[in-house]
Amino acid sequence: MHDLLTGTFFWIALGICLTGMLVRFVLYFKGLSWQLDRVAYRAHPKAGLKGAVRSIYKWLIPFGTRGWQTQPFITLAFFGFHLGAVFVPLFLMGHVFFVEEKLGISLFTLSAAAGDVLSWTALAAGSLLLIRRLVLPEVRILTTWKDIMILGLSMAPFATGLLARYQVGDYGFWLNMHILCGEVLLVAIPFTKLSHVFLFFASRAQLGMDFGIKRGGMKGTKMAW
Amino acid sequence: MPEGIYCNKQTVDTPEGVNKLLSDTSGNTYYQEMEVLDVDTDLLWKTIQNTCKSRIRTWLEICAHCGMCADSCFLYEVNGKNPKQVPAYKIQSTLGEIIKRKGKVDNALMRHAMRVAWAECSCCNRCGMYCPHGIDTGIMFGYLRGLLYNQGFVPWELKIGAGMHRAYRAQMDVTDEDFVDTFEWMVEEYEDDYPGLTVPVDKQGADIMYTVNAREVKHYPEDLAEAAILFHLAGESWTVPSKGWEQTSLAMFAGDWAACKMQVESVYEAMERLTPKRMVGTECGHAHRATVIEGPYWAGRKDGQPPAPSIHYVEWLAEALNTGRLRVDPSKRIKELVTLQDSCNYIRNHGLKRATRDIMSHIVEPGFFIEMAPNKEHNYCCGGGGGFNGIGKFRKERNIALIKKRDQILETGAKLVIAPCHNCWDAIRDLEEEYEIGIRWSFLKPLLIKMLVIPDHLKPEE
């Protein structure tokens, strides 16, 4: 089982994820239309690029925008969750060794302690996001079973990973579950709301270009849109 | 396919057509007919397939349902934080639902979507600044309005408004002759006070081509004279076109994109005919957005720019004051608490926050200008934007919408509100009528005229 998960299944999951992301990313930008969107994307490349970079950069910084500043609770929960979700899969020592063995790519590694802190933070923040979703009327009205599933799916690799790490019960079982959850997550990325993993950059780049070219960027204003 | 006599999928293109719609008092029959108006579901789905591409589809798909847009929406706030007023919910339950059902929707859903699109969103675009994914619900509601207009589900007044643009190239039944006559007549009224004051019509190659809002011609013609006086005192070489003088676009509020194109092309033709160095529009937010920001795209201009560089009135005024071409007598500056209404359509959609504040620094005694909170690009809609002001059917909802601006103004303690936008001006006037908070409101032109230093050579002989 372990060999299958780290062998064929891993390659299939990674292949689907990367191909899906690439295809959707290309399709997104191909589907932009200067006339339908009413943004002269090609006519002002410098202003567009500036706006796109600014828009992405501002929203990647905790409290970098008015949106983040006015809602500190979700900002903390959001960044708490996403820091773990980005750094742990990519840079945890076990993951780095695995990637090096499989793909021959060597990445920077997180210490085990940092990995623990980030994983626990992600689980705690994810739980807060789930509670917020169920408690606040303005979020509950938007919530569908898919949103709960996606959040659950995103938290599952952390939960199983920690269970394996602390060797609660059968280590081999939890390790396999952890790998399986990770692979299911990879496959889900291009086809679900998890596509925001990469479409966030596309969407923000588009709005950044919109503001950069048309809605004030060329007037020299620096809105954190 | 039952189509009403008044409420149908046809466009209104002639003065007779406009008059026919107007004869239906308050649109009573129109709205009755709307209740049985068929939805052309094939057309709806075909239109969506042709026009709903990457951007909007991705927005609908990746919306994380996080609800961070809720507090950004003034309508959510003034309606008791009703979850149904959360921007993401409003768009998912209308446009999202139509797309999910591949256009196979019934009359009831279309009427619901009409209510949400015009009475629960003023397309102020504020929520777009608060979404981590960069989803601008205001843009999506603009798109939805187009789909609804195409199917005949549009508020009566806006069907008339779009028809006016089609029939007269103006938002009201003001003809080109009415415009020129009114402008000349108003200027004549003031020529004794300002010797040499004229209205140069159709002058070739002027520095400025001035365009207006038809409401000025119809309801407050003194605004035309005030514009002429200010250009005169600043020593500008200016002109107005006898055709293509109307900058507004109720068609934009209605979602009648073909009429938007007709309207804006009339202004661009005037620019191409008179070849001015630049175009200056009057104190109106949506007019600026329609003609300068969105218009180039309707007209198919790939660079997204009008044929001549075009600026809003506040930009011209700030420039004239900053360069000293207009000078304010310091003793006549405003010496009472005064606040400023930022128009969504040129602050959040064109970044013009600096120009208005430059103007304030010239016309208000230091210490008397009080900013609203929040302000600049984070300011709230006046409460009547996006056509909300003019729709009788949604007057109750519009009056509730005014509460946010009322409270913002009350918090400043100012009794005078400067509103360099027709729509905001109307909304603030209406909120005073509705809630009687004891405020006054003004455009910039009449304030400036009272406080300017008149150069000796332009003074009347004693």
Side-chain angles (χ1 to χ4, degrees):
Chain A
M1 183 68 182
H2 184 75
D3 289 346
L4 195 62
L5 284 172
T6 53
T8 314
F9 279 20
F10 167 73
W11 289 114
I12 291 174
L14 188 69
I16 291 176
C17 179
L18 292 179
T19 314
M21 287 205 294
L22 184 71
V23 168
R24 296 212 55 192
F25 208 64
V26 170
L27 285 178
Y28 178 83
F29 284 103
K30 267 187 80 174
L32 291 181
S33 154
W34 71 271
Q35 204 158 4
L36 285 174
D37 303 344
R38 303 205 290 259
V39 183
Y41 297 116
R42 285 177 197 275
H44 310 282
K46 208 174 142 194
L49 185 68
K50 225 166 112 183
V53 170
R54 186 179 167 76
S55 182
I56 293 168
Y57 165 73
K58 282 279 181 184
W59 279 93
L60 284 180
I61 300 174
F63 302 104
T65 60
R66 180 81 74 105
W68 289 136
Q69 287 158 15
T70 50
Q71 303 197 47
F73 172 79
I74 191 174
T75 303
L76 290 174
F78 175 90
F79 280 96
F81 184 73
H82 281 83
L83 276 179
V86 172
F87 284 93
V88 173
L90 287 179
F91 303 118
L92 193 71
M93 207 175 292
H95 296 158
V96 172
F97 291 159
F98 182 76
V99 168
E100 202 172 344
E101 183 196 318
K102 289 281 170 190
L103 304 170
I105 303 167
S106 180
L107 296 166
F108 152 86
T109 54
L110 279 178
S111 70
D116 286 348
V117 171
L118 284 174
S119 298
W120 281 111
T121 308
L123 270 187
S127 306
L128 288 175
L129 289 174
L130 181 65
I131 294 168
R132 178 181 177 274
R133 201 171 262 301
L134 299 174
V135 168
L136 296 183
E138 70 270 28
V139 198
R140 201 171 57 224
I141 194 170
L142 293 163
T143 300
T144 64
W145 65 270
K146 280 188 191 170
D147 297 316
I148 309 275
M149 290 284 291
I150 293 288
L151 194 54
L153 187 60
S154 311
M155 286 163 69
F158 287 108
T160 49
L162 285 170
L163 285 167
R165 155 130 176 83
Y166 296 116
Q167 309 205 355
V168 181
D170 181 352
Y171 169 77
F173 171 76
W174 287 120
L175 183 66
N176 282 344
M177 285 305 288
H178 174 67
I179 298 169
L180 183 66
C181 289
E183 286 169 356
V184 171
L185 193 71
L186 282 178
V187 172
I189 283 176
F191 306 107
T192 63
K193 274 191 204 301
L194 288 169
S195 55
H196 77 263
V197 168
F198 56 98
L199 288 178
F200 160 85
F201 296 93
S203 179
R204 284 242 70 91
Q206 189 282 325
L207 198 70
M209 286 192 276
D210 191 338
F211 274 95
I213 292 166
K214 187 172 110 175
R215 296 206 245 172
M218 284 175 31
K219 290 275 178 187
T221 55
K222 289 182 177 163
M223 293 188 241
W225 46 81
Chain B
M1 186 179 292
E3 295 227 4
I5 299 168
Y6 301 105
C7 185
N8 49 47
K9 295 178 181 61
Q10 313 306 313
T11 56
V12 175
D13 299 282
T14 59
E16 295 73 33
V18 171
N19 289 337
K20 188 175 129 191
L21 259 184
L22 278 167
S23 69
D24 175 25
T25 317
S26 304
N28 289 333
T29 314
Y30 178 89
Y31 287 119
Q32 275 168 18
E33 289 175 353
M34 189 182 283
E35 290 184 19
V36 290
L37 181 65
D38 263 0
V39 186
D40 185 343
T41 53
D42 291 339
L43 172 70
L44 184 57
W45 186 233
K46 207 172 136 199
T47 312
I48 289 171
Q49 283 176 306
N50 287 335
T51 58
C52 189
K53 306 277 187 184
S54 282
R55 182 169 69 157
I56 293 180
R57 280 184 188 268
T58 306
W59 277 348
L60 287 170
E61 188 191 332
I62 68 170
C63 170
H65 296 165
C66 70
M68 275 186 73
C69 53
D71 288 338
S72 72
C73 179
F74 75 107
L75 287 162
Y76 167 74
E77 297 221 327
V78 297
N79 283 291
K81 302 208 167 197
N82 179 353
K84 290 195 169 167
Q85 289 273 0
V86 174
Y89 179 80
K90 288 188 269 198
I91 200 68
Q92 296 276 358
S93 61
T94 52
L95 179 64
E97 198 59 29
I98 293 171
I99 292 177
K100 208 162 98 188
R101 295 195 209 167
K102 297 193 185 321
K104 299 262 177 295
V105 294
D106 59 10
N107 175 292
L109 190 109
M110 292 296 269
R111 278 186 294 125
H112 167 71
M114 181 184 87
R115 167 169 289 277
V116 179
W118 277 282
E120 295 182 16
C121 177
S122 65
C123 297
C124 78
N125 301 105
R126 191 171 188 272
C127 52
M129 299 192 71
Y130 289 78
C131 171
H133 284 168
I135 299 171
D136 193 330
T137 309
I139 287 180
M140 285 197 275
F141 269 112
Y143 175 73
L144 174 62
R145 287 179 177 198
L147 296 178
L148 293 168
Y149 175 86
N150 214 16
Q151 297 278 339
F153 292 88
V154 55
W156 176 70
E157 291 86 348
L158 291 180
K159 178 101 178 191
I160 294 169
M164 289 283 191
H165 285 289
R166 286 170 173 271
Y168 296 96
R169 298 291 183 275
Q171 65 160 293
M172 292 176 167
D173 53 349
V174 178
T175 63
D176 293 341
E177 292 72 30
D178 293 339
F179 167 68
V180 173
D181 288 352
T182 309
F183 214 143
E184 286 176 340
W185 161 58
M186 284 313 297
V187 163
E188 275 168 28
E189 293 282 307
Y190 287 87
E191 62 190 4
D192 289 345
D193 298 331
Y194 300 93
L197 185 71
T198 55
V199 48
V201 180
D202 285 337
K203 192 166 103 181
Q204 279 283 333
D207 287 344
I208 288 170
M209 181 182 101
Y210 182 57
T211 52
V212 307
N213 178 326
R215 294 177 69 83
E216 291 162 5
V217 188
K218 187 108 174 172
H219 294 306
Y220 5 91
E222 62 280 7
D223 197 288
L224 301 173
E226 288 160 358
I229 292 166
L230 288 168
F231 286 141
H232 175 68
L233 293 180
E236 290 283 13
S237 147
W238 67 291
T239 187
V240 287
S242 59
K243 212 175 172 55
W245 48 269
E246 158 73 308
Q247 211 199 2
T248 73
S249 182
L250 290 186
M252 177 171 77
F253 291 158
D256 181 354
W257 310 123
C260 288
K261 180 174 160 70
M262 292 174 198
Q263 175 62 48
V264 81
E265 281 180 343
S266 75
V267 185
Y268 291 175
E269 275 159 21
M271 287 183 194
E272 277 155 359
R273 177 164 50 90
L274 299 179
T275 59
K277 287 206 181 74
R278 344 184 248 184
M279 192 270 279
V280 176
T282 189
E283 292 175 72
C284 185
H286 97 269
H288 180 73
R289 185 169 176 188
T291 307
V292 181
I293 310 169
E294 312 288 1
Y297 300 96
W298 297 326
R301 300 182 61 86
K302 281 190 175 177
D303 63 353
Q305 303 295 318
S310 300
I311 59 175
H312 188 272
Y313 201 78
V314 295
E315 293 180 277
W316 175 77
L317 195 54
E319 181 190 289
L321 289 166
N322 289 343
T323 55
R325 276 181 293 134
L326 288 178
R327 279 198 305 122
V328 169
D329 178 344
S331 69
K332 292 181 181 165
R333 296 211 286 202
I334 298 169
K335 294 181 187 63
E336 64 169 303
L337 290 186
V338 55
T339 191
L340 169 73
Q341 164 62 6
D342 286 310
S343 157
C344 305
N345 283 323
Y346 64 76
I347 297 286
R348 200 152 32 246
N349 282 288
H350 214 195
L352 301 186
K353 60 188 171 190
R354 202 177 305 145
T356 38
R357 277 146 187 94
D358 273 2
I359 297 167
M360 293 302 117
S361 73
H362 286 278
I363 69 173
V364 183
E365 189 78 4
F368 288 91
F369 171 49
I370 308 286
E371 289 273 15
M372 284 186 204
N375 54 34
K376 300 175 186 165
E377 64 267 27
H378 294 283
N379 195 23
Y380 290 108
C381 166
C382 58
F388 215 172
N389 262 345
I391 305 170
K393 185 177 175 64
F394 302 138
R395 181 46 50 101
K396 203 173 115 243
E397 289 84 347
R398 198 290 307 260
N399 286 346
I400 294 170
L402 299 174
I403 290 173
K404 194 76 192 176
K405 192 53 56 187
R406 177 198 72 182
D407 293 348
Q408 270 191 299
I409 294 170
L410 282 171
E411 272 174 38
T412 66
K415 294 292 173 204
L416 176 62
V417 185
I418 296 176
C421 168
H422 273 269
N423 201 86
C424 302
W425 190 99
D426 284 353
I428 291 164
R429 175 201 59 201
D430 287 359
L431 82 83
E432 175 58 25
E433 266 179 25
E434 183 71 16
Y435 298 105
E436 296 183 9
I437 58 171
I439 53 164
R440 289 168 288 117
W441 55 96
S442 180
F443 287 114
L444 284 162
K445 297 186 197 92
L447 292 173
L448 257 295
I449 285 195
K450 284 187 215 137
M451 59 179 79
L452 283 180
V453 176
I454 299 176
D456 286 341
H457 69 283
L458 294 179
K459 283 181 179 161
E461 285 177 23
E462 291 299 324

